[in-house]
Amino acid sequence: MFDTGASHHATNDQSYLHHLSEYGGPDEIVLGNGKTLSISHTGRTSIPTSTRTLSLNDVLLVPHLRNHLVSVAKLCKTNNVSVEFFPFHFFVKDLRTGARLMRGVNINDVYYASTFPHQPIHQLNSSIKTSGSLLSWHHMFGHPSIKVLKLLLNNLGLGYNKMSIASFHCNACSLNKSHKQPFGDDSFKASKPLELIYSDVWGLVQISNDGYAYYIIFVDFYSKYTWLYPIKRKSDVAIPTIQISS
């Protein structure tokens, strides 16, 4: 679990740590509800990423801690990285190159790493083995394809209604994947001014001091010369049209 308020890294599993040493200090872990937990040992571990390993130093071994805890502040200082949080996920980035080193997910308003030392996320905390609608998971993981989404959910041990696959539909994905047909080349070529004129009416807009609420525009296809007339009513379009025609 990635926590911006944590001052230290902590884990409840001794097997994650190396260079283990017994802790003899007076400090304890203080939880958000005021409860305190004793610290038995300290050690080191690391988080593998796609390009390099992130070091976690001075990790506290707290036997009764419920979740593995990564201090965002210590992670950033030790490894020269940044952490960017988004509604449904977060990224750890290399400060020098800007490259994304790892991605995590937001599950039940808690940010979890996609990997922790040598174990997948579903082995870290059984409390995240929860069920949700397929569409909810789809939104949470950033709109992946059904194939990728199923792979993610199965690997993370997250439940979903398999009957909903056949009827699955995401409006946002459909809109973003849609494309307009390109406009074809206009075969008409004007050879002289006023041979072809385009016009359009714009309004209703804020009424001017003189009572005008609409505008009609005329564009000469050949010269691109433009006329603009304010009109008070939409039915008045005939007046400037006759003037242009004459």
Side-chain angles (χ1 to χ4, degrees):
M1 184 171 68
F2 274 55
D3 193 342
T4 58
S7 59
H8 289 77
H9 310 304
T11 182
N12 56 11
D13 192 340
Q14 181 176 329
S15 65
Y16 284 115
L17 303 178
H18 53 271
H19 300 293
L20 201 66
S21 60
E22 189 172 346
Y23 181 75
D27 294 332
E28 294 180 313
I29 292 290
V30 180
L31 304 181
N33 59 6
K35 184 179 178 180
T36 59
L37 300 176
S38 60
I39 304 167
S40 64
H41 295 77
T42 62
R44 299 178 184 176
T45 188
S46 59
I47 300 178
T49 72
S50 57
T51 56
R52 66 185 180 97
T53 299
L54 302 177
S55 299
L56 302 182
N57 300 328
D58 301 320
V59 181
L60 306 179
L61 178 59
V62 184
H64 298 292
L65 189 67
R66 183 177 179 182
N67 298 305
H68 301 279
L69 193 65
V70 175
S71 167
V72 172
K74 279 190 171 292
L75 177 75
C76 293
K77 290 179 181 178
T78 303
N79 298 278
N80 197 33
V81 297
S82 65
V83 181
E84 296 182 358
F85 290 95
F86 299 91
F88 301 110
H89 62 277
F90 70 90
F91 292 115
V92 178
K93 292 185 176 182
D94 189 306
L95 277 181
R96 185 177 62 85
T97 64
R100 291 179 182 176
L101 302 177
M102 64 178 295
R103 173 187 172 125
V105 295
N106 180 341
I107 300 176
N108 296 334
D109 294 330
V110 179
Y111 289 95
Y112 293 93
S114 56
T115 58
F116 202 76
H118 314 302
Q119 288 193 357
I121 188 172
H122 67 270
Q123 293 179 337
L124 302 184
N125 179 17
S126 60
S127 67
I128 68 171
K129 289 186 178 180
T130 182
S131 294
S133 71
L134 196 63
L135 188 60
S136 297
W137 290 127
H138 175 71
H139 290 164
M140 184 177 296
F141 284 106
H143 297 264
S145 66
I146 287 294
K147 181 179 179 180
V148 173
L149 181 61
K150 288 169 60 179
L151 182 63
L152 279 171
L153 297 179
N154 291 334
N155 287 343
L156 296 176
L158 300 173
Y160 62 95
N161 182 2
K162 293 178 174 59
M163 298 296 292
S164 63
I165 295 178
S167 59
F168 176 83
H169 177 74
C170 175
N171 289 330
C173 288
S174 297
L175 290 173
N176 283 302
K177 291 176 181 177
S178 62
H179 299 279
K180 288 184 177 180
Q181 291 295 327
F183 292 103
D185 293 334
D186 195 335
S187 59
F188 183 83
K189 304 296 181 182
S191 58
K192 59 183 178 180
L194 304 181
E195 187 175 2
L196 178 64
I197 295 177
Y198 292 111
S199 68
D200 193 15
V201 178
W202 180 48
L204 176 72
V205 296
Q206 184 175 352
I207 299 176
S208 69
N209 293 334
D210 296 327
Y212 294 106
Y214 297 88
Y215 298 90
I216 183 169
I217 188 172
F218 299 90
V219 180
D220 176 48
F221 184 87
Y222 180 82
S223 65
K224 303 301 185 290
Y225 190 86
T226 303
W227 298 264
L228 186 144
Y229 293 90
I231 53 178
K232 295 182 178 180
R233 295 177 298 274
K234 206 170 185 179
S235 58
D236 293 340
V237 295
I239 299 173
T241 302
I242 293 173
Q243 292 176 353
I244 290 292
S245 301
S246 60

